[in-house]
């Protein structure tokens, strides 16, 4: 079994880390109720005002002012928008950031800003939420929007290489290469912040501590950590994914 309560206070950075952008987590309502959801950790790791957790699905997502503002900024040419989801046509986040850095917007400059959208839910929930977002908010034929709205994915080796201890699994994965929303955020922010290991470490620390505690109490967690190559092909877990799972779209 698992402990009745767990304190992770010492694992969060003090003060929280500043970022040059804003993280918007679109969370399925069912996911918000799960006790092992790590989405709330993101806001505790990053500076105040830089993280929004938007709980909703379908048309409800179109009512979020934060999300509409991010799309509007991209369409107006004011700020790049990165939507992290392993669709078949998603591009490597690192490659896109390199292109932005070489452009007139210069991702390496001090005044460059971005918005990052993450989807938090089971695979089926995330897919449905992504398709709605794409159909109603992201698709646009204007030249400016095409340049500033980016559908991206993480490359396992290049962008999530900070986890020297290997995958940190609380749940059985539906496929190799799957990540929790917190891990996906850590990998993306690391790239967007100039390959910052400090941001990766800060975001991963509370998850590492949680897994270490759960490992002491739960044989299933110990087994997953001992055999990270094992997956549960019959289930669909609460995960973002890297390139290797893009065929699920």
């Amino acid at each position: 079994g698992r402990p009745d309560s767990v304190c992770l206070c010492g694992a969060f950075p003090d003060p929280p880390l500043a970022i040059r952008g804003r993280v918007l987590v679109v969370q399925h309502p069912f996911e918000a109720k799960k006790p092992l959801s790590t989405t709330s950790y993101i806001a505790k790791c990053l500076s105040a005002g830089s993280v929004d957790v938007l709980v909703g699905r379908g048309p409800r997502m179109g009512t979020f002012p934060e999300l509409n503002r991010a799309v509007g900024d991209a369409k107006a040419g004011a700020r790049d928008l990165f939507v992290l989801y392993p669709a078949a046509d998603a591009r490597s986040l690192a490659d896109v950031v390199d292109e932005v850095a070489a452009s007139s917007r210069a991702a390496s400059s001090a005044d460059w800003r971005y918005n990052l959208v993450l989807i938090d839910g089971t695979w089926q929930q995330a897919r449905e939420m992504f398709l709605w977002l794409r159909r109603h908010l992201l698709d646009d034929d204007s030249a400016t929007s095409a340049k500033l709205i980016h559908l991206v994915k993480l490359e396992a080796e290049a962008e999530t290489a900070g986890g020297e201890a290997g995958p940190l699994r609380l749940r059985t994965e539906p496929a190799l290469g799957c990540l929790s929303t917190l891990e996906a955020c850590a990998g993306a922010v690391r790239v967007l912040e100039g390959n910052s290991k400090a941001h990766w470490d800060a975001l991963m620390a509370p998850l590492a501590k949680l897994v270490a505690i759960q490992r002491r109490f739960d044989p299933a967690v110990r087994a997953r950590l001992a055999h990270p190559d094992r997956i549960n092909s019959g289930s669909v877990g609460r995960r973002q994914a890297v390139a290797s799972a893009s065929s699920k779209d």
Side-chain angles (χ1 to χ4, degrees):
R2 295 189 172 103
D4 293 331
S5 62
V6 171
C7 180
L8 304 177
C9 299
F12 294 106
D14 186 18
L17 271 67
I19 58 174
R20 294 185 293 173
R22 193 177 193 89
V23 177
L24 294 90
V25 183
V26 184
Q27 187 178 51
H28 193 280
F30 292 167
E31 191 60 38
K33 301 175 182 178
K34 294 182 179 178
L36 287 181
S37 174
T38 57
T39 295
S40 62
Y41 300 174
I42 298 173
K44 296 180 184 297
C45 290
L46 301 178
S47 56
S50 62
V51 180
D52 291 300
V53 179
L54 313 174
V55 181
R57 57 184 294 195
R60 166 70 176 156
M61 293 186 287
T63 68
F64 295 135
E66 301 89 348
L67 187 57
N68 285 304
R69 189 179 307 116
V71 174
D73 285 346
K75 291 181 176 181
R79 185 180 287 210
D80 286 85
L81 173 61
F82 298 90
V83 180
L84 188 66
Y85 184 82
D89 57 340
R91 300 182 58 207
S92 162
L93 175 60
D95 289 347
V96 174
V97 170
D98 285 345
E99 290 178 5
V100 174
S103 72
S104 58
R105 300 193 304 283
S108 58
S109 68
D111 58 351
W112 180 72
R113 297 292 182 269
Y114 63 84
N115 287 308
L116 170 66
V117 173
L118 306 171
I119 302 174
D120 186 30
T122 66
W123 272 107
Q124 182 62 32
Q125 292 165 355
R127 182 176 186 276
E128 292 172 355
M129 293 165 71
F130 167 72
L131 292 176
W132 194 96
L133 284 172
R134 184 169 205 170
R135 187 179 306 116
H136 294 279
L137 294 180
L138 303 179
D139 285 345
D140 195 293
D141 295 330
S142 70
T144 299
S145 296
K147 291 179 181 178
L148 271 70
I149 296 179
H150 314 283
L151 176 56
V152 295
K153 60 189 176 185
L154 294 175
E155 300 288 357
E157 295 182 359
E159 293 158 36
T160 60
E164 289 83 357
L168 298 176
R169 294 183 173 177
L170 286 173
R171 306 182 188 180
T172 302
E173 309 292 2
L176 291 176
C178 293
L179 302 172
S180 68
T181 303
L182 178 60
E183 289 171 298
C185 180
V189 169
R190 177 180 184 169
V191 175
L192 290 164
E193 295 295 326
N195 197 29
S196 170
K197 191 173 183 300
H199 285 81
W200 168 274
D201 289 343
L203 284 159
M204 292 299 292
L207 179 60
K209 184 172 182 178
L210 177 61
V211 171
I213 293 171
Q214 297 289 343
R215 182 176 189 170
R216 297 203 307 266
F217 291 88
D218 191 337
V221 172
R222 290 197 295 273
R224 284 193 285 274
L225 294 172
H227 303 283
D229 56 331
R230 293 181 182 175
I231 61 173
N232 182 4
S233 58
S235 68
V236 179
R238 181 192 57 83
R239 299 291 151 184
Q240 287 275 349
V242 294
S244 61
S246 61
S247 61
K248 287 188 172 289
D249 177 59

